[in-house]
Amino acid sequence: MSDLYEDLRDEPEDLPVPETALCIGAHPDDAEIGAGATLTRWADAGTTIALLVVTDGSKGSWDPNADPTTVAERRRLEQNEAAAVLGARNTIVLNYIDGELECTMALRAELCYWVRRLQPDVLLTHDPWQRYQLHPDHRATGFSALDAVVAARDPLFFPEQMPEVEPHRPEAVLLWSPDEPNHWEDVSGWLEHKITALLCHSSQGKSTLGGADEDQERAAAFADRIRLSAARAGAPIGLAAAEAFRRITP
Ligand SMILES: [Zn+2]
């Protein structure tokens, strides 16, 4: 372990396998990129996993003639396929307009409701403090999910949600693509599931997947990039393959 990471690693690697996990991503495929291998490992060990996708993914095409409604429908099907690969039991899509997400009280209330309803031990989402994070939806989702964690514990936040749902606070929050990682999940042996889940998002072939929908060679190059990224993430703490997170214990 390098000196740099010795200070940062103030939270141990590998959480105990949670009973329930809620993963909140801005778009279809974000959860798979950020935490797909960890989620698959947990699902295999019995964790009940819910994927919550905040936007409809309707701007996820580089084709100027694409119909946003058709794009959104296709991405919803792809998300269901990917969820099945990961072993997630539930997929919830909130259908906010892709690319236009803002940190509103309505979004905070909605995410708070799902935290209370699903009562996750671990909540995973975007790191909204990741420096130079360009995508507004990623920032808004990360901030709103964390604001929802604060609200979900205390009954005077959004009291109209009770008694249908009960207050709840997750034991841990993991932020993926972290600005400063302090926690690593060992995903050796689980990367192929992550790659398979990502390839379900074939509408993203030309963008996220780097042409993987066009030929086998590019698909193989994409898979290699995922493996390389996991190897790089694990290297500072001596793991062959890892997903790195900022862990917050609320
Ligand atoms: Zn995204």
Side-chain angles (χ1 to χ4, degrees):
M1 190 193 312
S2 74
D3 290 345
L4 172 66
Y5 282 90
E6 201 154 18
D7 289 342
L8 293 175
R9 207 182 83 160
D10 48 8
E11 302 279 0
E13 63 199 79
D14 282 5
L15 288 172
V17 172
E19 277 186 35
T20 54
L22 169 61
C23 198
I24 300 180
H27 310 107
D29 79 11
D30 286 339
E32 291 85 331
I33 292 167
T38 300
L39 294 173
T40 312
R41 204 189 85 220
W42 287 350
D44 189 68
T47 303
T48 300
I49 291 170
L51 298 182
L52 189 151
V53 182
V54 177
T55 75
D56 59 7
S58 57
K59 289 193 180 67
S61 173
W62 286 357
D63 174 2
N65 298 315
D67 168 40
T69 306
T70 309
V71 172
E73 279 165 11
R74 176 169 173 189
R75 298 198 72 187
R76 190 168 186 132
L77 295 175
E78 292 171 351
Q79 183 65 82
N80 290 341
E81 276 176 48
V85 172
L86 297 179
R89 300 244 186 108
N90 254 323
T91 305
I92 301 143
V93 181
L94 300 188
N95 277 322
Y96 282 78
I97 297 173
D98 189 356
E100 301 181 12
L101 200 64
E102 293 178 305
C103 293
T104 62
M105 289 305 285
L107 175 58
R108 189 189 304 187
E110 207 163 354
L111 295 178
C112 172
Y113 170 83
W114 283 105
V115 172
R116 286 172 168 172
R117 174 150 165 196
L118 298 171
Q119 306 261 314
D121 300 321
V122 179
L123 184 144
L124 307 94
T125 191
H126 301 265
D127 180 353
W129 294 286
Q130 189 201 25
R131 266 168 279 194
Y132 317 121
Q133 169 57 256
L134 273 181
H135 207 304
D137 294 349
H138 292 184
R139 281 184 265 120
T141 296
F143 280 126
S144 297
L146 292 171
D147 294 347
V149 167
V150 172
R153 186 189 68 179
D154 297 342
L156 296 182
F157 286 83
F158 309 118
E160 69 280 4
Q161 295 180 354
M162 265 77 75
E164 186 196 339
V165 290
E166 292 289 320
H168 175 74
R169 172 154 284 189
E171 287 160 23
V173 173
L174 296 183
L175 304 178
W176 66 68
S177 305
D179 194 70
E180 289 187 356
N182 68 346
H183 177 85
W184 289 261
E185 290 287 332
D186 185 348
V187 296
S188 308
W190 297 99
L191 284 177
E192 299 315 305
H193 295 77
K194 175 173 181 156
I195 292 163
T196 304
L198 279 164
L199 290 173
C200 291
H201 296 278
S202 58
S203 65
Q204 305 305 293
K206 284 176 187 45
S207 49
T208 311
L209 306 182
D213 62 331
E214 287 168 30
D215 59 58
Q216 286 299 319
E217 209 170 305
R218 288 183 194 188
F222 169 74
D224 281 344
R225 283 204 299 283
I226 298 293
R227 293 185 196 104
L228 181 63
S229 145
R232 281 192 181 140
I237 59 157
L239 291 173
E243 285 174 337
F245 300 94
R246 185 73 193 185
R247 177 178 170 187
I248 302 174
T249 306

